[in-house]
Each structure stands twice: as C-alpha cells, then as structure tokens.
Amino acid sequence: MGNVWDGETLARYRAYLLGEERSAGTVEKYLRDIREFSAWLPAGAAVEKAAVLRWKEFLCRKYAASTVNGKLAALNGFLAFLGRPECRVRPLKRQREIFRERARELTRQEYLRLLRTAQAERNERLCLVMETLCSTGMRVSELRFVTVESLERGYAVVDCKGKLRTVLMTKGLRRALRDYCRRQGRRAGPVFATRSGRPLDRSNIWREMQALGRRAGVEARKVFPHNLRHLFAVTFYRMEKDIAKLADLLGHASIETTRIYLMESGAEHTRMLERLGLVLRATTE
C-alpha cells in the first residue's frame, strides 16, 4: 500500500471528508483514530485485514464497545478511500443499553459546584461558556454561532452540516452575555473568542473544564462539554415529559437518538423496580 500515513495522503483524506460535509470536529476525530492505528502498526508492516483484526482485538481490551466501533469506523472509511475495502472489519455487535453508567453522570449539584468554583476564581468566560451550553443544550462545536448579533434576536441560528436550526436563549442568559460582551468591548461576532477574534477551540474548553473540575472536586470523567448537553436533556424531560419537543431543541432527526440522552443510571432503574412491590418478602417486612 505504500506509505499511506504521510502528511500528503492524510491531507487529501481530510479534504475528501470536508467535501462530504463532515464537521471539522468529526474530521479531526477520524484522523486521530487513523494515526492511532498507524502508531500501533509495527514499523514496515503491511496493512492487511489480519492486522486490522488484531488492532480490533487490541481496542476491545482497552476501550468500551462504542469507542471501539468509532475507531473502526474511522479506519474503515480511510481504507475505502485508499481503494482497499477488503481490509475493513465489522463493528462490534452491541445490545441496546437501557441505562447510563452512573460514574459518568453529571448531577445538577455538581454542575452548580463547577459554576460557583469558576465564579470564585473570577473565570467569567468559562462560567458563561458552561451556562450557555447547559441552558441551551447546544453542542460545543455550535458555540461559535452564539454571536453578539444573536443576543439581540434572542436566538442563535446553527448551521450543522447544511441543516439550519434555531437555538433559543433565555433572557437571563442573554443579559449575562451582553454584559460580558460590553466589558470585553466586543460589538460583533462570536461572544466567546480569543484575543485575535477567533471562536474558542473545543479542546481549550475541554482542558479548562478538566482543570476546573479538579479544583471543584468533581470527578474528571464527568467533566466534559457534551455532558452539559446531557444534563440539559435530562432536566428538560423531567420537567416537561415531552420527548418530541426535546428532540427539536437538541436538533435530533430521530427520537431514538434523544432517548439515549434520557437514559438514567442503573440505580434509578432499581429504585423504580423496588417501588413496584412485586416481591412478597419486600411487601411484608
């Protein structure tokens, strides 16, 4: 196959993915996974299906099934691009999960602790970033669409792979963001930007949140931007019990995708079963 890992080949694949209207975040994730396989593959080894199968076995020992399948999808796509579809491997079969891992579930109390810690440290930008993500349910990649102009409209128009959707913002959030922009001297463009005016990078937000989580005493596995979107979904559904409206707010084409966001922990499922009172010993004690 020659040297398929050189910068030129990967640059061509990046351009191909962008031409397929994949988001910038997805493209970078695919390239990271491809480079991970390249680093794992012994120097000089040929890329054959047997090697990809061994990598799949290696991933299974290291990652959860969903992560393994994501990495395999990235490599399979690259192999097809190179004209080697026969080297692709099948993803792992997964039983549909009925509850989330409790250890990764960010609670409302932990979220508020993160906000208060950021306020105490006078990190206004990070505090507002988290409040914006959690109160709107938007993805961190969509944060760049929160502009000074959108604060006047009352909503942001998000362009996700050519599909437009409206993200509503509460009066309280808009007021806080307008005050922040006024202090920053920002009159137009993205609310959250670097000194050069470029939108904040998601990796920087992730690192800042991780550091904040350590100081706030919140487990690192719970502190990442997408968990704020999950918290929004769970909070909204518990109040409104309207999964169709929630799907609209999250920008999901399928309610099945929204259902994944609403999975509760196994402990919550157990409490629900206990309340049924269908075990004689439990009902007579």
Short mmCIF file of all heavy atoms in Angstrom, two decimals, residues 68-112:
data_model
loop_
_atom_site.label_atom_id
_atom_site.label_comp_id
_atom_site.label_asym_id
_atom_site.label_seq_id
_atom_site.Cartn_x
_atom_site.Cartn_y
_atom_site.Cartn_z
N VAL A 68 -14.66 1.55 20.55
CA VAL A 68 -14.05 0.64 19.56
C VAL A 68 -14.72 0.83 18.21
O VAL A 68 -14.04 0.98 17.18
CB VAL A 68 -14.18 -0.83 20.01
CG1 VAL A 68 -13.73 -1.78 18.90
CG2 VAL A 68 -13.37 -1.07 21.27
N ASN A 69 -16.03 0.84 18.17
CA ASN A 69 -16.75 0.99 16.91
C ASN A 69 -16.48 2.33 16.24
O ASN A 69 -16.41 2.42 15.00
CB ASN A 69 -18.25 0.80 17.13
CG ASN A 69 -18.63 -0.65 17.34
OD1 ASN A 69 -17.84 -1.55 17.05
ND2 ASN A 69 -19.81 -0.90 17.86
N GLY A 70 -16.32 3.37 17.04
CA GLY A 70 -15.99 4.68 16.46
C GLY A 70 -14.64 4.67 15.78
O GLY A 70 -14.48 5.23 14.69
N LYS A 71 -13.66 4.04 16.40
CA LYS A 71 -12.32 3.98 15.82
C LYS A 71 -12.28 3.09 14.58
O LYS A 71 -11.60 3.39 13.59
CB LYS A 71 -11.31 3.48 16.88
CG LYS A 71 -11.10 4.47 18.02
CD LYS A 71 -10.15 3.93 19.06
CE LYS A 71 -9.97 4.92 20.22
NZ LYS A 71 -9.35 6.18 19.78
N LEU A 72 -13.04 1.99 14.63
CA LEU A 72 -13.10 1.10 13.45
C LEU A 72 -13.78 1.81 12.28
O LEU A 72 -13.36 1.65 11.13
CB LEU A 72 -13.86 -0.18 13.81
CG LEU A 72 -13.19 -1.13 14.80
CD1 LEU A 72 -14.09 -2.32 15.08
CD2 LEU A 72 -11.82 -1.59 14.29
N ALA A 73 -14.81 2.59 12.57
CA ALA A 73 -15.50 3.33 11.51
C ALA A 73 -14.54 4.31 10.83
O ALA A 73 -14.55 4.46 9.60
CB ALA A 73 -16.71 4.06 12.07
N ALA A 74 -13.70 4.97 11.64
CA ALA A 74 -12.74 5.92 11.08
C ALA A 74 -11.75 5.20 10.17
O ALA A 74 -11.47 5.67 9.05
CB ALA A 74 -12.00 6.62 12.22
N LEU A 75 -11.22 4.08 10.62
CA LEU A 75 -10.23 3.34 9.82
C LEU A 75 -10.88 2.71 8.59
O LEU A 75 -10.31 2.74 7.50
CB LEU A 75 -9.55 2.27 10.66
CG LEU A 75 -8.44 1.48 9.95
CD1 LEU A 75 -7.34 2.41 9.46
CD2 LEU A 75 -7.86 0.41 10.88
N ASN A 76 -12.09 2.16 8.75
CA ASN A 76 -12.78 1.57 7.61
C ASN A 76 -13.01 2.59 6.49
O ASN A 76 -12.86 2.28 5.31
CB ASN A 76 -14.12 0.98 8.05
CG ASN A 76 -13.96 -0.36 8.75
OD1 ASN A 76 -12.94 -1.04 8.61
ND2 ASN A 76 -14.98 -0.75 9.50
N GLY A 77 -13.39 3.79 6.89
CA GLY A 77 -13.60 4.84 5.89
C GLY A 77 -12.32 5.18 5.15
O GLY A 77 -12.33 5.40 3.93
N PHE A 78 -11.21 5.23 5.88
CA PHE A 78 -9.92 5.54 5.26
C PHE A 78 -9.49 4.43 4.31
O PHE A 78 -8.98 4.69 3.20
CB PHE A 78 -8.87 5.73 6.35
CG PHE A 78 -7.52 6.19 5.86
CD1 PHE A 78 -7.40 7.32 5.07
CD2 PHE A 78 -6.38 5.48 6.19
CE1 PHE A 78 -6.15 7.75 4.62
CE2 PHE A 78 -5.13 5.90 5.75
CZ PHE A 78 -5.02 7.03 4.96
N LEU A 79 -9.73 3.18 4.70
CA LEU A 79 -9.36 2.05 3.85
C LEU A 79 -10.17 2.07 2.55
O LEU A 79 -9.65 1.77 1.47
CB LEU A 79 -9.58 0.73 4.60
CG LEU A 79 -8.63 0.48 5.77
CD1 LEU A 79 -9.10 -0.70 6.60
CD2 LEU A 79 -7.20 0.27 5.28
N ALA A 80 -11.45 2.42 2.65
CA ALA A 80 -12.28 2.53 1.45
C ALA A 80 -11.76 3.64 0.55
O ALA A 80 -11.71 3.50 -0.68
CB ALA A 80 -13.73 2.77 1.84
N PHE A 81 -11.36 4.75 1.15
CA PHE A 81 -10.80 5.88 0.40
C PHE A 81 -9.54 5.47 -0.36
O PHE A 81 -9.30 5.92 -1.48
CB PHE A 81 -10.49 7.02 1.37
CG PHE A 81 -9.77 8.18 0.76
CD1 PHE A 81 -10.44 9.10 -0.03
CD2 PHE A 81 -8.41 8.36 0.99
CE1 PHE A 81 -9.76 10.18 -0.60
CE2 PHE A 81 -7.73 9.44 0.44
CZ PHE A 81 -8.41 10.35 -0.35
N LEU A 82 -8.75 4.59 0.24
CA LEU A 82 -7.50 4.13 -0.37
C LEU A 82 -7.72 3.03 -1.41
O LEU A 82 -6.77 2.57 -2.05
CB LEU A 82 -6.54 3.61 0.71
CG LEU A 82 -6.03 4.63 1.72
CD1 LEU A 82 -5.25 3.93 2.83
CD2 LEU A 82 -5.15 5.67 1.03
N GLY A 83 -8.96 2.60 -1.59
CA GLY A 83 -9.24 1.53 -2.54
C GLY A 83 -8.95 0.15 -1.99
O GLY A 83 -8.71 -0.79 -2.76
N ARG A 84 -9.01 0.01 -0.65
CA ARG A 84 -8.75 -1.28 -0.02
C ARG A 84 -9.93 -1.70 0.87
O ARG A 84 -9.78 -1.96 2.06
CB ARG A 84 -7.47 -1.21 0.82
CG ARG A 84 -6.20 -1.00 0.02
CD ARG A 84 -5.88 -2.21 -0.86
NE ARG A 84 -5.76 -3.44 -0.11
CZ ARG A 84 -4.63 -3.83 0.51
NH1 ARG A 84 -3.54 -3.09 0.42
NH2 ARG A 84 -4.59 -4.95 1.18
N PRO A 85 -11.14 -1.76 0.32
CA PRO A 85 -12.30 -2.10 1.14
C PRO A 85 -12.24 -3.50 1.72
O PRO A 85 -12.89 -3.80 2.72
CB PRO A 85 -13.48 -1.94 0.17
CG PRO A 85 -12.88 -2.15 -1.18
CD PRO A 85 -11.52 -1.54 -1.09
N GLU A 86 -11.45 -4.39 1.09
CA GLU A 86 -11.36 -5.77 1.58
C GLU A 86 -10.66 -5.85 2.94
O GLU A 86 -10.74 -6.88 3.63
CB GLU A 86 -10.61 -6.65 0.57
CG GLU A 86 -9.12 -6.42 0.48
CD GLU A 86 -8.72 -5.20 -0.37
OE1 GLU A 86 -9.63 -4.51 -0.86
OE2 GLU A 86 -7.51 -4.98 -0.54
N CYS A 87 -9.99 -4.78 3.36
CA CYS A 87 -9.30 -4.76 4.66
C CYS A 87 -10.20 -4.32 5.80
O CYS A 87 -9.80 -4.36 6.97
CB CYS A 87 -8.07 -3.86 4.60
SG CYS A 87 -6.77 -4.46 3.50
N ARG A 88 -11.40 -3.86 5.47
CA ARG A 88 -12.29 -3.36 6.51
C ARG A 88 -12.80 -4.51 7.39
O ARG A 88 -12.90 -5.65 6.94
CB ARG A 88 -13.48 -2.62 5.89
CG ARG A 88 -13.07 -1.35 5.14
CD ARG A 88 -14.28 -0.65 4.53
NE ARG A 88 -14.92 -1.49 3.53
CZ ARG A 88 -16.00 -1.11 2.83
NH1 ARG A 88 -16.54 0.08 3.06
NH2 ARG A 88 -16.52 -1.92 1.93
N VAL A 89 -13.14 -4.17 8.63
CA VAL A 89 -13.66 -5.17 9.57
C VAL A 89 -15.01 -4.71 10.09
O VAL A 89 -15.35 -3.53 10.05
CB VAL A 89 -12.69 -5.40 10.75
CG1 VAL A 89 -11.36 -5.94 10.26
CG2 VAL A 89 -12.48 -4.11 11.54
N ARG A 90 -15.77 -5.67 10.59
CA ARG A 90 -17.11 -5.36 11.08
C ARG A 90 -17.04 -4.74 12.47
O ARG A 90 -16.17 -5.09 13.28
CB ARG A 90 -17.95 -6.64 11.14
CG ARG A 90 -18.27 -7.22 9.77
CD ARG A 90 -19.11 -8.48 9.91
NE ARG A 90 -19.44 -9.05 8.60
CZ ARG A 90 -20.15 -10.16 8.44
NH1 ARG A 90 -20.60 -10.81 9.51
NH2 ARG A 90 -20.40 -10.60 7.23
N PRO A 91 -17.99 -3.86 12.79
CA PRO A 91 -18.05 -3.31 14.15
C PRO A 91 -18.53 -4.36 15.13
O PRO A 91 -19.05 -5.41 14.74
CB PRO A 91 -19.06 -2.16 14.01
CG PRO A 91 -19.95 -2.60 12.87
CD PRO A 91 -19.05 -3.32 11.91
N LEU A 92 -18.36 -4.07 16.40
CA LEU A 92 -18.85 -4.96 17.43
C LEU A 92 -20.37 -4.87 17.49
O LEU A 92 -20.96 -3.80 17.32
CB LEU A 92 -18.28 -4.56 18.80
CG LEU A 92 -16.76 -4.61 18.96
CD1 LEU A 92 -16.39 -4.08 20.34
CD2 LEU A 92 -16.25 -6.03 18.78
N LYS A 93 -21.01 -6.01 17.75
CA LYS A 93 -22.45 -6.01 17.95
C LYS A 93 -22.73 -5.58 19.39
O LYS A 93 -22.09 -6.07 20.32
CB LYS A 93 -23.03 -7.40 17.71
CG LYS A 93 -22.98 -7.83 16.25
CD LYS A 93 -23.64 -9.18 16.07
CE LYS A 93 -23.62 -9.60 14.60
NZ LYS A 93 -24.26 -10.93 14.40
N ARG A 94 -23.64 -4.66 19.55
CA ARG A 94 -23.94 -4.13 20.87
C ARG A 94 -25.41 -4.29 21.19
O ARG A 94 -26.27 -3.96 20.38
CB ARG A 94 -23.57 -2.64 20.96
CG ARG A 94 -22.12 -2.33 20.73
CD ARG A 94 -21.90 -0.83 20.74
NE ARG A 94 -22.33 -0.23 21.99
CZ ARG A 94 -22.65 1.05 22.12
NH1 ARG A 94 -22.63 1.85 21.07
NH2 ARG A 94 -23.01 1.53 23.29
N GLN A 95 -25.69 -4.79 22.39
CA GLN A 95 -27.05 -4.80 22.88
C GLN A 95 -27.45 -3.38 23.25
O GLN A 95 -26.64 -2.63 23.79
CB GLN A 95 -27.17 -5.70 24.10
CG GLN A 95 -28.58 -5.77 24.68
CD GLN A 95 -28.63 -6.67 25.91
OE1 GLN A 95 -27.64 -7.27 26.29
NE2 GLN A 95 -29.80 -6.75 26.52
N ARG A 96 -28.66 -3.01 22.94
CA ARG A 96 -29.10 -1.65 23.24
C ARG A 96 -29.06 -1.42 24.74
O ARG A 96 -29.63 -2.19 25.52
CB ARG A 96 -30.52 -1.41 22.74
CG ARG A 96 -30.91 0.07 22.76
CD ARG A 96 -32.21 0.30 22.07
NE ARG A 96 -33.32 -0.05 22.93
CZ ARG A 96 -34.60 0.25 22.65
NH1 ARG A 96 -34.90 0.87 21.53
NH2 ARG A 96 -35.57 -0.11 23.48
N GLU A 97 -28.37 -0.36 25.14
CA GLU A 97 -28.25 -0.07 26.56
C GLU A 97 -29.54 0.53 27.10
O GLU A 97 -30.22 1.28 26.40
CB GLU A 97 -27.08 0.91 26.79
CG GLU A 97 -25.74 0.32 26.38
CD GLU A 97 -24.61 1.33 26.54
OE1 GLU A 97 -24.91 2.48 26.93
OE2 GLU A 97 -23.46 0.98 26.26
N ILE A 98 -29.87 0.20 28.35
CA ILE A 98 -31.10 0.74 28.93
C ILE A 98 -30.82 1.76 30.02
O ILE A 98 -31.73 2.42 30.50
CB ILE A 98 -32.00 -0.39 29.49
CG1 ILE A 98 -31.29 -1.12 30.64
CG2 ILE A 98 -32.42 -1.35 28.39
CD1 ILE A 98 -32.20 -2.10 31.37
N PHE A 99 -29.54 1.87 30.44
CA PHE A 99 -29.23 2.91 31.41
C PHE A 99 -27.78 3.36 31.26
O PHE A 99 -26.95 2.67 30.70
CB PHE A 99 -29.50 2.47 32.85
CG PHE A 99 -28.87 1.15 33.23
CD1 PHE A 99 -27.52 1.08 33.58
CD2 PHE A 99 -29.62 -0.01 33.23
CE1 PHE A 99 -26.95 -0.13 33.94
CE2 PHE A 99 -29.05 -1.22 33.59
CZ PHE A 99 -27.72 -1.28 33.93
N ARG A 100 -27.53 4.54 31.77
CA ARG A 100 -26.20 5.14 31.68
C ARG A 100 -25.34 4.70 32.84
O ARG A 100 -25.83 4.33 33.91
CB ARG A 100 -26.29 6.68 31.70
CG ARG A 100 -27.00 7.30 30.53
CD ARG A 100 -26.88 8.80 30.61
NE ARG A 100 -25.51 9.24 30.42
CZ ARG A 100 -25.06 10.45 30.73
NH1 ARG A 100 -25.86 11.31 31.31
NH2 ARG A 100 -23.82 10.77 30.50
N GLU A 101 -24.04 4.79 32.61
CA GLU A 101 -23.10 4.49 33.68
C GLU A 101 -23.14 5.64 34.69
O GLU A 101 -22.89 6.80 34.35
CB GLU A 101 -21.68 4.34 33.10
CG GLU A 101 -20.64 3.99 34.13
CD GLU A 101 -19.24 3.96 33.53
OE1 GLU A 101 -19.11 4.16 32.32
OE2 GLU A 101 -18.30 3.79 34.31
N ARG A 102 -23.48 5.32 35.94
CA ARG A 102 -23.66 6.35 36.96
C ARG A 102 -22.39 7.16 37.18
O ARG A 102 -22.44 8.36 37.46
CB ARG A 102 -24.10 5.69 38.28
CG ARG A 102 -24.51 6.70 39.36
CD ARG A 102 -25.00 6.00 40.61
NE ARG A 102 -25.42 6.95 41.62
CZ ARG A 102 -26.63 7.47 41.69
NH1 ARG A 102 -27.54 7.15 40.80
NH2 ARG A 102 -26.94 8.33 42.65
N ALA A 103 -21.24 6.50 37.03
CA ALA A 103 -19.97 7.18 37.30
C ALA A 103 -19.71 8.33 36.33
O ALA A 103 -18.89 9.20 36.62
CB ALA A 103 -18.82 6.17 37.24
N ARG A 104 -20.40 8.36 35.19
CA ARG A 104 -20.19 9.42 34.20
C ARG A 104 -21.33 10.44 34.19
O ARG A 104 -21.33 11.36 33.39
CB ARG A 104 -20.03 8.82 32.80
CG ARG A 104 -18.75 8.05 32.62
CD ARG A 104 -18.70 7.38 31.25
NE ARG A 104 -18.77 8.34 30.16
CZ ARG A 104 -17.73 8.99 29.66
NH1 ARG A 104 -16.52 8.79 30.17
NH2 ARG A 104 -17.87 9.83 28.66
N GLU A 105 -22.29 10.28 35.07
CA GLU A 105 -23.47 11.14 35.07
C GLU A 105 -23.23 12.40 35.90
O GLU A 105 -23.05 12.33 37.12
CB GLU A 105 -24.67 10.36 35.63
CG GLU A 105 -25.99 11.09 35.50
CD GLU A 105 -27.14 10.22 35.97
OE1 GLU A 105 -26.98 8.99 36.06
OE2 GLU A 105 -28.22 10.79 36.27
N LEU A 106 -23.22 13.55 35.24
CA LEU A 106 -23.03 14.83 35.93
C LEU A 106 -24.35 15.25 36.54
O LEU A 106 -25.36 15.38 35.84
CB LEU A 106 -22.54 15.89 34.95
CG LEU A 106 -22.26 17.28 35.55
CD1 LEU A 106 -21.01 17.23 36.42
CD2 LEU A 106 -22.08 18.31 34.43
N THR A 107 -24.36 15.47 37.84
CA THR A 107 -25.59 15.88 38.51
C THR A 107 -25.74 17.40 38.48
O THR A 107 -24.77 18.14 38.24
CB THR A 107 -25.61 15.42 39.98
OG1 THR A 107 -24.59 16.12 40.70
CG2 THR A 107 -25.36 13.91 40.08
N ARG A 108 -26.94 17.87 38.77
CA ARG A 108 -27.19 19.31 38.84
C ARG A 108 -26.33 19.94 39.93
O ARG A 108 -25.79 21.04 39.75
CB ARG A 108 -28.67 19.54 39.13
CG ARG A 108 -29.07 21.01 39.24
CD ARG A 108 -30.52 21.14 39.68
NE ARG A 108 -30.91 22.53 39.77
CZ ARG A 108 -31.44 23.23 38.78
NH1 ARG A 108 -31.65 22.65 37.61
NH2 ARG A 108 -31.78 24.51 38.94
N GLN A 109 -26.19 19.24 41.07
CA GLN A 109 -25.39 19.77 42.17
C GLN A 109 -23.92 19.92 41.77
O GLN A 109 -23.27 20.92 42.12
CB GLN A 109 -25.51 18.86 43.39
CG GLN A 109 -26.88 18.86 44.07
CD GLN A 109 -27.95 18.14 43.24
OE1 GLN A 109 -27.64 17.24 42.45
NE2 GLN A 109 -29.20 18.53 43.43
N GLU A 110 -23.41 18.95 41.03
CA GLU A 110 -22.01 19.03 40.58
C GLU A 110 -21.84 20.14 39.56
O GLU A 110 -20.82 20.84 39.57
CB GLU A 110 -21.58 17.68 40.01
CG GLU A 110 -21.42 16.61 41.07
CD GLU A 110 -21.29 15.22 40.49
OE1 GLU A 110 -21.85 14.96 39.39
OE2 GLU A 110 -20.65 14.37 41.13
N TYR A 111 -22.81 20.30 38.69
CA TYR A 111 -22.77 21.40 37.72
C TYR A 111 -22.73 22.75 38.43
O TYR A 111 -21.91 23.62 38.08
CB TYR A 111 -24.00 21.30 36.81
CG TYR A 111 -24.31 22.54 36.01
CD1 TYR A 111 -23.45 22.98 35.01
CD2 TYR A 111 -25.47 23.27 36.25
CE1 TYR A 111 -23.75 24.12 34.26
CE2 TYR A 111 -25.78 24.40 35.52
CZ TYR A 111 -24.92 24.82 34.53
OH TYR A 111 -25.21 25.95 33.80
N LEU A 112 -23.59 22.93 39.43
CA LEU A 112 -23.61 24.19 40.17
C LEU A 112 -22.29 24.40 40.93
O LEU A 112 -21.82 25.54 41.05
CB LEU A 112 -24.79 24.21 41.15
CG LEU A 112 -26.18 24.23 40.50
CD1 LEU A 112 -27.27 24.14 41.56
CD2 LEU A 112 -26.36 25.48 39.64
#
